[in-house]
Amino acid sequence: MRMLPRDPSDREFLIALALAAMLGGILGAGLVYWLRPPKAPPVAAPAPTAPQPPPAAADYTPVPFAALPGWADDSIGDIGPALRLSCTALVAQDTQSPVGAGVAARPRGAWRAACDMLTAATDPAALRQVLESAFEPLAVSVGGNDRGTFTGYYEATLTGDLSRSARFAVPLYGLPDDLINVPVKDFLPPNTALGDVPAALVGRVVDRKLAPYHDRAAIDGADAVADKAPVIAWVEDPVEAHILHIQGSGQVSLPDGTTIRVGFAGSNGRAFTGLGSILLAEGVLKPGQASMIGVRDWLKANPARAAELMNRNARYIFFRRIDGPGPIGAQGVPLTALRSLAVDPRFVPLGAPVWLDTADPDGVPLRRLMVAQDVGAAITGAVRGDVFWGTGAAAFDKAARMKSPGRFFVLVPRAADGR
């Protein structure tokens, strides 16, 4: 998210000032500080459902299913449950607003009708038939360029305990009781276009003003939330804990042989800085070495510097315990390995089927039907995606090495003109 412009004639800045004025009596000048910070502004925590997309900066070009590379070769039977879960979440939203942006926008009623057909499909052949008859693929591009970057993520696995000990001393915090999340749209007139104004302000009250929340250095280095946040679990390895913060969900193996699952509950609202870029800037890794595996191995081999460098990623994640299937994505439904995709919901609506055309980290073509079910602080742009690889060491190996060029096609209900 770019910094708000300082030109008072700019539409977005006027929105920001109007919001500051409306909230000023309650939150004071801290809001103005947040909206016009001297450095990069904090990033709002991902919402459980997709925010309303702004006017599309992307182009959406209708294409036939035959134009999807590998469409006929994908065995799509295993994606049925994921599609049905996303459909249930998508149509349950209590709003009549269209789903999607630009020419990809469709009335919510059209999604309900298409989802009803998907839910009724009981076998792979019927599912494929419904997709081809009720949906149309749209090639996503920006300025004529349909190529983007596709990375991977996974569900982390850690060793820990529910009680602190000399071995297990790294906390996985729940939401602090002084963290405030202010939905911006609640203080603006209905249908106001937010543009680049954040969906929410995340902070804490200091002297009756909203101030940015503690950064990672204060939380990990100065125990800033130790008396304000519950501890979901205590884990053994600070590097693995930081990776969990980046991935957003994980499983913690306890001494008694049981496992608990933790997932994203919120963030401190600070901007995310990747560990790879931090280590490259510091000169301890060279270009080509900053994969997740290279970063993890260097931090573990250099514990004396690891804490300092990890603290340069100011963003901090708070967790909740998940009972039942998981991990849970931003759409609020469980993720499916190699079928769930994290996207930028300004351009691809959460819940939409997406045809992916890229390669895995070993160069093997990865062409398959996915569902847009998640978001990520680093997943920004119209042609950008993060493939969920599953849980455990094998999933980590794939996710950690994946950074592939590719493209995708979003599937939306057919337009009324029958394109």
Side-chain angles (χ1 to χ4, degrees):
M1 181 178 65
R2 65 180 176 84
M3 183 183 293
L4 290 174
R6 298 182 182 264
D7 179 0
S9 66
D10 186 277
R11 177 187 64 83
E12 295 166 356
F13 182 58
L14 290 176
I15 292 175
L17 286 181
L19 176 59
M22 282 186 283
L23 288 178
I26 300 174
L27 301 176
L31 178 62
V32 179
Y33 169 82
W34 192 96
L35 288 170
R36 298 184 66 177
K39 297 181 180 180
V43 178
T49 56
Q52 181 66 26
D59 297 314
Y60 303 91
T61 305
V63 299
F65 276 90
L68 306 185
W71 169 253
D73 301 325
D74 185 24
S75 177
I76 63 174
D78 61 345
I79 201 174
L83 283 171
R84 285 187 280 273
L85 284 170
S86 279
C87 270
T88 299
L90 192 153
V91 303
Q93 296 179 29
D94 187 19
T95 174
Q96 297 302 313
S97 60
V99 177
V103 299
R106 295 292 184 273
R108 198 163 296 270
W111 277 97
R112 291 192 179 96
C115 280
D116 286 344
M117 297 175 67
L118 284 177
T119 302
T122 56
D123 59 71
L127 181 61
R128 185 181 291 275
Q129 183 178 16
V130 167
L131 288 166
E132 293 180 352
S133 62
F135 289 82
E136 64 174 333
L138 303 178
V140 184
S141 62
V142 178
N145 182 15
D146 65 354
R147 299 290 166 169
T149 301
F150 294 87
T151 49
Y153 70 117
Y154 78 115
E155 185 182 32
T157 53
L158 300 89
T159 302
D161 201 348
L162 299 181
S163 300
R164 184 174 187 172
S165 65
R167 179 184 176 188
F168 302 115
V170 181
L172 301 181
Y173 285 119
L175 281 173
D177 57 20
D178 66 338
L179 185 144
I180 296 174
N181 193 306
V182 182
V184 171
K185 66 178 181 180
D186 291 353
F187 296 87
L188 294 173
N191 302 319
T192 299
L194 293 180
D196 283 340
V197 176
L201 308 179
V202 180
R204 61 193 179 100
V205 174
V206 178
D207 296 330
R208 297 177 60 84
K209 298 175 183 178
L210 185 67
Y213 203 74
H214 302 292
D215 62 11
R216 179 176 296 275
I219 295 172
D220 277 347
D223 296 329
V225 304
D227 60 344
K228 301 178 179 67
V231 176
I232 307 301
W234 298 89
V235 297
E236 183 175 19
D237 190 321
V239 175
E240 297 291 347
H242 196 118
I243 292 174
L244 172 65
H245 281 228
I246 296 171
Q247 302 304 305
S249 60
Q251 297 186 33
V252 181
S253 298
L254 305 177
D256 63 2
T258 61
T259 299
I260 64 169
R261 174 171 269 139
V262 297
F264 178 92
S267 83
N268 64 346
R270 299 280 185 154
F272 171 79
T273 305
L275 288 174
S277 62
I278 292 170
L279 298 188
L280 286 171
E282 192 66 15
V284 298
L285 291 181
K286 297 179 180 179
Q289 297 179 330
S291 70
M292 196 186 308
I293 295 174
V295 168
R296 179 200 62 180
D297 291 349
W298 190 93
L299 291 171
K300 289 191 174 187
N302 297 272
R305 295 207 61 198
E308 173 216 341
L309 295 178
M310 289 190 296
N311 281 343
R312 296 186 189 180
N313 173 25
R315 187 172 178 82
Y316 200 93
I317 302 302
F318 303 107
F319 296 93
R320 62 187 177 95
R321 184 164 173 170
I322 296 174
D323 297 315
I328 306 299
Q331 200 191 9
V333 302
L335 303 179
T336 302
L338 287 175
R339 291 298 185 183
S340 296
L341 188 69
V343 299
D344 186 334
R346 296 174 299 174
F347 305 103
V348 178
L350 289 182
V354 176
W355 182 258
L356 180 63
D357 176 23
T358 185
D360 76 5
D362 298 309
V364 178
L366 189 62
R367 294 167 174 163
R368 55 178 34 227
L369 188 63
M370 312 283 287
V371 191
Q373 293 179 322
D374 210 356
V375 302
I379 310 305
T380 58
V383 190
R384 179 74 172 91
D386 211 19
V387 175
F388 177 64
W389 280 91
T391 304
F396 171 79
D397 176 71
K398 291 288 191 179
R401 295 184 295 116
M402 185 171 180
K403 189 175 183 180
S404 305
R407 56 181 175 163
F408 59 22
F409 306 78
V410 58
L411 275 58
V412 300
R414 291 195 177 274
D417 60 9
R419 274 202 308 259

